Amino acid sequence: MMTEFPCKENRDGVCAPASRAEAAAPAPSLYVHVPFCARKCAYCDFASHVPVPGEAAAWRCALQQELELRRAELAVPLRTCYVGGGTPSVLPIAELRGLLEMLRPLVADDGEFSLEANPATIDEPTADTLAAGGVTRVTLGAQSFQPGELQVLGRLHAADDVSRAAVLLRRAGVANLAVDLIYAIPGQTPAAWQDSLAAAIDLQPQHVSCYALSFEENTPLGTDLRSGRVSELAEDLQRSMYDVAVEMLTAAGYEHYELSNFARPGRPCIHNLVYWRNAAYLGIGPAACSYVAGERRSTTPDFRDWLSALAGDPPTRPSAETETLDARTAMAETLMLALRLTAGVDEAAFKGRYGLSPAEAFPESVARQLQIGTLEQQGGRLRLAREAYFTSDAVLRDIIAETSPR
Amino acid sequence: MDQSRIRNFSIIAHIDHGKSTLADRMLLRAGAITQREFREQLLDDMDLERERGITIKASAVTIHYERDGKTYVLNMIDTPGHVDFHYEVSRSLAACEGCLLVVDCAQGVEAQTVANAHLASRSELAIVPVVNKVDLPAARPEDTAMEIEHLIAHPAEDCLFTSAKTGQGTDEMLNAIVDQLPAPAGNPEGKTRALIFDSTYDDYRGVIVFVRVLDGRLKVGDEVRMVGTGETHEISEMGKFTPKRTLCKEFGTGEVGFISANIRSIASVHVGDTLTLDADPADEPLPGYRPPQQMVFCDFFCGPQTQFPDLREALEKLQLNDAALTFQPISSDALGFGFRCGFLGMLHMEIVQERLEREHDADVVQTAPTVGYEVLKTDGSVVEVDSAGELPPTDQIEEIREPFVRVDLIVPADAIGAVMQIAEERRAEYQKTEYLSSDRVILSYEFPLAEIIYDFYDKLKSGTRGYGTMDYEMIGCRANDLVKLDILVNENRIDALSLICHRSKADPRGRAVIQKLRKEIPRHQFEVPLQAAIGSRIIARETIRAIRKNVTAKCYGGDVTRKRKLLEKQKAGKRRMKMVGNVEIPQKAFMAVLEGEED
């Protein structure tokens, strides 16, 4: 089903389609969604499932069709390509190889070619396939190094799988490794969290992400929370866990460049920076999102629907929800995303892009948050105050609330 | 028309004691309505009244009743059924020579019935007691007749026993009206005096005025003058409701009906005023007139969906058929522009608020109701103050006086203790106890009006297992040790939350308000201190803790829309908030000042 949102009137009553605010150029970034997992994790509400035999091959064929249908939206050679999911590393070797062969010619030689992997799925042939296929960066979904916590999360891998995978990947030639961690897991103690952080730092990855566990509806953990089988950690405890992560990782030489992301100097995730800078990207695969020429598009998360559209003769574009952003919404989204970066947003660049500075576009909320002290201005940049990192949604909500005329 | 064949009467009854059905029974018996029409409550014409089971606007219905070959004209004058409309009831009774006192014999006599029965006695009306609902299984007709005997010294055996539901006793009731109630006395040759006892607004005809001619006559084309306001108008149309609208050319002495005279504003028609002929005016107006008196005040501010001009228009429209509603524009630092409104009582206020929302689609932020105070200033002048914000500076105040009401409570004897405790908590002064029967008593108190405008009735009901009823009457203002209690949110004094209260109550009241606010105001990114203060003295303090965590995970795979929608959804939940300084205060919090200290 196509949902076309009408262009909204902005505060001055001027109807400004986003295509005027956002360049109509093709995207130099590609996201590929692999909708398969070996098993669903207890907290995961992303579009993924355990594949039946043959499904992976069908997916790859359809993906090829989708890429061709949308080729015009891509600026090749790509600066970044990110294969996520799901669990891309769960693909059978042949499909994985085929996928990488399809994508590699699109990526610039010095481009970032990332892939997400479950530590348990990395064996020697897989590691070699990734390296041979041109993958430059692998994100290991470690989440925790405590067996009990991994069990609560419903993770398939064991704690020592992570270091084993890291060794295999490095030996195969993938030098740029990222480790994802989750904290505020029911039952987690501050000491256990520090242990996991220390274990991640020990692996010397180029990049570490730390996300507080969120309880999504329609996930086993979400259901357990509602029924009271598990409970969320106290806010103060979560906050101190966040603070200790920032402390340990920066002490270990990682730059705290985004609210939840830390990287060795020069090693941020370039692809994720595309999102945070609200730049253009194309997404393919079921449930993939795109932002090209000021239009947001979310492809149907229904695997069968997606597949049947692309397997048709001739293949057609899968259904999607689309929204053409008006200038104010585009500005709000840009701020919403950029304020997650600890460097904040360059006010002059923002004005160059939209004709208004953030404080001009959202005078009430920006002034209010500056006054409260949750935002600060320094060196021509507008950014979150360190104290506001853990309550950033309150700031963003205030700005979003000023999007539509009251 | 033969003056001796006219009977003017009211039906005094508590809500739900069967007044409307009895009236319909009489109309049916006299052939004025059909069986099919019978079930409809002809006298109540606003939805709201029907739903609440009360009558707000009085009107009059004329029944032509044939007996022994003679036609009697029975004018049934409706009375409002709620304590807020005391004065209106007294004017309706002033238009009558008699009344039916109807009591539901499954419920017994209730406080308002007592008050109105006493009003009728004082006005020297002939009273016909009617014990209704005798068909109910829980009926206690004899006990009820005894209660009535105690109440108005009318022999119990002379009560009529009726069932409006089955029709039992309808003939006896009609005969009693004809035989026991006097015909109107008035002088047909005297100078014309007619009593205005109600008015209503019609989009086509303007104001419709209900009158009772006491002396002389009125006819179409007469230039009439309203003595109280001095306005003159020419009668363009007159008639009666039978219950159909029926026009006529003239009202003689003793007659009741409506006139229209191209009057555009109901504000110029006051219940209780005297209508006389402009060319030949009466020397003396009718006694008992007083202009509408507002007892309860509150502010209506624009909600998020309503603009100030729309709210003004809605109030103006409501005022067209509600002469007792007053409003004037005000502005609040916290809530922006709005109107201070005056009402006859709490129910009147609720009705106006509901009608604003229902009939005019206006969403309003309502502040806590207050009463009207009198302030004697040090320079000897007296000012009227209906909100804490209007108080003069403390050093200019000699004394503050608050309105008192006489309250009669009818309660089961075994609930006396509970009720007395409730009364004591509310600064009431005990007057007397009267036994209505062995198990029901009338407790009389003098209350500060401020103590009964909020949830007193609920407390009374719960203290008496639902059996308690009350009536109140204004008895004037008295000086008291009253103070202004200020509420500070994040160090800002919030004018809309200030209140006037008795010094002895200030501390618990302040604490209660602060605690209520702590529950109502959401946590912010910073600590929000709440304080209650008298002048510069802080008497209560609370702190709303800051939010410690409010952050969502990354926009996975670039799903920016989902994240934005999530934030937008949160924003939608905040719509019924007012931003004061940097603090979002939900509209509910503005009613917090009403909370009793025990909550």
Side-chain angles (χ1 to χ4, degrees), chain B residues 216-237:
Chain B
R217 58 189 57 238
L218 283 174
K219 55 184 192 303
V220 172
D222 279 347
E223 188 75 14
V224 288
R225 182 196 302 173
M226 291 178 280
V227 178
T229 61
E231 282 191 30
T232 60
H233 295 277
E234 186 190 316
I235 297 178
S236 53
E237 213 172 59

Side-chain angles (χ1 to χ4, degrees), chain B residues 77-97:
Chain B
I77 294 168
D78 201 14
T79 54
H82 191 273
V83 286
D84 285 357
F85 303 95
H86 226 283
Y87 171 72
E88 285 67 15
V89 173
S90 80
R91 294 307 84 200
S92 290
L93 293 183
C96 301
E97 279 75 39

Side-chain angles (χ1 to χ4, degrees), chain A residues 51-312:
Chain A
V52 297
E55 226 172 26
W59 166 78
R60 194 169 60 78
C61 285
L63 196 75
Q64 179 98 48
Q65 297 296 342
E66 191 175 20
L67 184 61
E68 274 165 31
L69 284 172
R70 304 195 61 184
R71 183 63 194 258
E73 296 171 60
L74 273 185
V76 177
L78 300 174
R79 303 307 312 158
T80 70
C81 177
Y82 193 103
V83 182
T87 315
S89 56
V90 84
L91 289 170
I93 289 279
E95 299 308 331
L96 189 59
R97 188 176 300 121
L99 173 70
L100 299 179
E101 278 167 7
M102 173 170 92
L103 297 174
R104 186 181 193 175
L106 305 175
V107 184
D109 289 343
D110 59 350
E112 179 189 87
F113 191 179
S114 286
L115 182 136
E116 288 180 342
N118 180 318
T121 60
I122 300 295
D123 50 14
E124 207 170 331
T126 308
D128 290 341
T129 305
L130 295 179
V135 170
T136 62
R137 184 177 182 276
V138 170
T139 299
L140 290 169
Q143 319 309 4
S144 165
F145 289 86
Q146 313 296 321
E149 290 168 12
L150 289 170
Q151 208 173 349
V152 172
L153 296 175
R155 295 292 294 181
L156 206 54
H157 71 273
D160 56 4
D161 281 342
V162 187
S163 56
R164 200 187 37 79
V167 169
L168 289 173
L169 287 165
R170 286 191 173 123
R171 197 182 294 154
V174 181
N176 191 358
L177 294 185
V179 171
D180 286 354
L181 294 176
I182 288 177
Y183 63 98
I185 300 163
Q188 189 175 39
T189 63
W193 171 231
Q194 288 176 34
D195 282 355
S196 284
L197 281 165
I201 291 167
D202 267 356
L203 293 175
Q204 300 187 315
Q206 278 63 38
H207 192 280
V208 179
S209 301
C210 301
Y211 288 105
L213 178 65
S214 53
F215 294 81
E216 306 292 343
E217 273 180 56
N218 307 319
T219 64
L221 259 183
T223 310
D224 285 352
L225 181 70
R226 253 207 321 274
S227 68
R229 269 194 296 277
V230 300
S231 51
E232 207 167 347
L233 295 194
E235 281 185 13
D236 281 328
L237 185 53
Q238 296 195 35
R239 193 178 173 111
S240 69
M241 286 180 164
Y242 177 71
D243 289 341
V244 84
V246 174
E247 212 172 286
M248 287 178 68
L249 287 163
T250 49
Y254 292 89
E255 285 174 358
H256 187 191
Y257 76 104
E258 195 263 2
L259 295 182
S260 308
N261 286 276
F262 305 81
R264 292 268 181 222
R267 286 298 194 177
C269 177
I270 315 280
H271 185 82
N272 282 339
L273 281 174
V274 167
Y275 300 150
W276 293 319
R277 290 176 178 154
N278 206 14
Y281 56 92
L282 179 73
I284 57 173
C289 298
S290 305
Y291 186 49
V292 181
E295 184 195 67
R296 293 215 180 274
R297 168 182 291 265
S298 308
T299 304
T300 176
D302 186 309
F303 180 71
R304 293 279 138 212
D305 285 356
W306 175 84
L307 196 65
S308 61
L310 291 163

